Amino acid sequence: MGRVTDSISSGSDVLARAGQSVVERLSDPYSGPVPFSVEFFPPRDADAEARLWRAARTFERMNPAFVSMTYGAGGTTRDRTVRIAGELATETTLLTVAHLTAVNHSVDELRSLVGAYADRGITNLLALRGDPPGDPLGEWVKHPDGVQYAEELVELIRQLGDFHIGVASFPEGHHRSPSLAADTENLVRKLRAGAEYSVTQVFFDVEDYFRLRDRLAATDAEQAAKPLIPGLMPITSLATARRMTELSGSKIPPAVEERLAKAAGDGPEENRADVRAVGIDLCTEMSERLIAEGAPCLHFCSLNFVKATSEVLDRIGIDTRGALAGI
């Protein structure tokens, strides 16, 4: 399927990495100011899969703390997610976290999926309630034989074996939560159910992350001690960023929107080069502030590309030059 085959890993490296948890990886020695991680999504065709593998091999040489593989709305990418996540786990040195969503799945199907991941050596799972297929902001309907909430999915996974579980968190609050306080309580319940850390939804205002951290500490100091990993994305297209925030129920802050809109210009097509430059600046500024405030890791939504994320990493003091040679 176009997979890059020049592996830099050895069998012993893969086996040593396989049993680690995300929290353990975050405590390992690392070069640079902070650990980082990368999110991939399942490719739609052979060409996209080849691009994903080029990105994975390049990031592998940068030694991320972990990588994650998303799961399509309603399980629409289930087979590809399971297969590629398994290949990342067994054919690279990358600690692989597989997303698992509750939406549109029965408990039996969820058990089967957890087993499929375990068969491929994956013990790190990100347990998500998930968005409805077709309309992510639409009504969430529980499968008649499924689970209602992510905390129930965490509990189910824990019953099935020795897995390390993360969950999602929402700096701006989940769009279905009636209030920020209720959203924070939901996160606490997921952590109390056995989640070891959370990864936030992508955000563009660092103050939202700090406010979430403060709310979590005020609600449950014990659970607040678990890593709260910020989700970042270097913006390379204003139209794409607007669409992403629209679908996720989040927002682009007015000051950020103003900088990006000015870079985009007034023409029929946005000035992608100028938007990209501003987007890299913004993500760098956010990263530097998060590092200064003690964020445990920076998690980059890569969209299966390398260069934008690598530029941010290089600017914050993580050497990417060797990894990028020849691409």
Side-chain angles (χ1 to χ4, degrees):
M1 296 295 292
R3 188 165 66 252
V4 175
T5 57
D6 57 333
S7 173
I8 65 169
S9 64
S10 69
S12 59
D13 290 335
V14 174
L15 289 173
R17 183 67 57 87
Q20 280 193 302
S21 70
V22 166
V23 174
E24 288 169 337
R25 281 288 288 157
L26 295 184
S27 66
D28 281 353
Y30 54 88
S31 60
V34 69
F36 77 97
S37 54
V38 179
E39 179 180 287
F40 299 126
F41 68 88
R44 294 184 177 181
D45 54 38
D47 289 342
E49 184 164 340
R51 188 181 78 220
L52 181 151
W53 277 96
R54 287 193 296 271
R57 290 303 187 190
T58 303
F59 280 121
E60 183 180 17
R61 293 190 287 269
M62 300 179 197
N63 195 33
F66 65 94
V67 299
S68 68
M69 175 60 70
T70 66
Y71 194 83
T76 53
T77 64
R78 178 178 65 183
D79 293 343
R80 272 173 290 160
T81 295
V82 172
R83 175 177 62 80
I84 296 174
E87 290 170 353
L88 287 170
T90 58
E91 299 180 22
T92 76
T93 59
L94 296 166
L95 180 67
T96 303
V97 177
H99 291 212
L100 180 64
T101 62
V103 66
N104 274 17
H105 287 314
S106 68
V107 167
D108 285 345
E109 288 171 334
L110 293 169
R111 289 174 180 270
S112 177
L113 281 165
V114 172
Y117 283 132
D119 289 344
R120 289 160 176 80
I122 295 174
T123 59
N124 287 276
L125 300 174
L126 196 70
L128 308 165
R129 192 176 189 226
D131 295 322
D135 180 6
L137 302 182
E139 182 183 4
W140 200 96
V141 179
K142 175 182 175 291
H143 188 287
D145 298 312
V147 298
Q148 180 75 24
Y149 298 109
E151 67 187 271
E152 298 173 72
L153 182 55
V154 172
E155 293 166 348
L156 174 64
I157 296 168
R158 290 189 68 199
Q159 294 168 9
L160 298 176
D162 187 16
F163 293 95
H164 302 288
I165 308 167
V167 292
S169 49
F170 301 89
E172 301 170 53
H174 193 280
H175 63 89
R176 290 189 177 86
S177 290
S179 67
L180 289 175
D183 187 72
T184 306
E185 289 286 356
N186 288 338
L187 175 57
V188 166
R189 283 193 291 271
K190 291 186 287 187
L191 294 168
R192 287 174 179 167
E196 300 172 3
Y197 63 95
S198 73
V199 179
T200 77
Q201 183 180 58
V202 168
F203 59 92
F204 299 105
D205 184 347
V206 291
E207 296 302 329
D208 287 329
Y209 172 86
F210 299 136
R211 284 188 283 265
L212 170 59
R213 186 180 64 181
D214 292 345
R215 290 195 304 273
L216 187 55
T219 303
D220 189 321
E222 180 180 357
Q223 302 307 320
K226 296 178 178 179
L228 178 67
I229 300 173
L232 303 171
M233 186 183 78
I235 293 174
T236 58
S237 163
L238 179 54
T240 298
R242 284 170 171 165
R243 178 64 174 160
M244 187 198 77
T245 54
E246 177 186 344
L247 292 175
S248 66
S250 58
K251 67 181 185 298
I252 301 175
V256 172
E257 172 81 25
E258 182 178 356
R259 286 176 66 178
L260 292 166
K262 182 177 180 180
D266 299 324
E269 300 290 335
E270 67 177 86
N271 185 327
R272 291 287 296 272
D274 286 358
V275 168
R276 184 184 188 281
V278 171
I280 298 296
D281 287 344
L282 287 165
C283 195
T284 302
E285 293 162 13
M286 292 177 65
S287 298
E288 291 172 339
R289 179 80 187 283
L290 289 162
I291 292 168
E293 292 285 344
C297 180
L298 304 180
H299 187 67
F300 291 91
C301 177
S302 73
L303 301 180
N304 297 356
F305 290 99
V306 173
K307 290 189 176 180
T309 296
S310 68
E311 286 182 39
V312 176
L313 293 174
D314 193 60
R315 290 188 185 189
I316 64 175
I318 296 174
D319 188 359
T320 65
R321 290 169 295 178
L324 294 173
I327 72 166

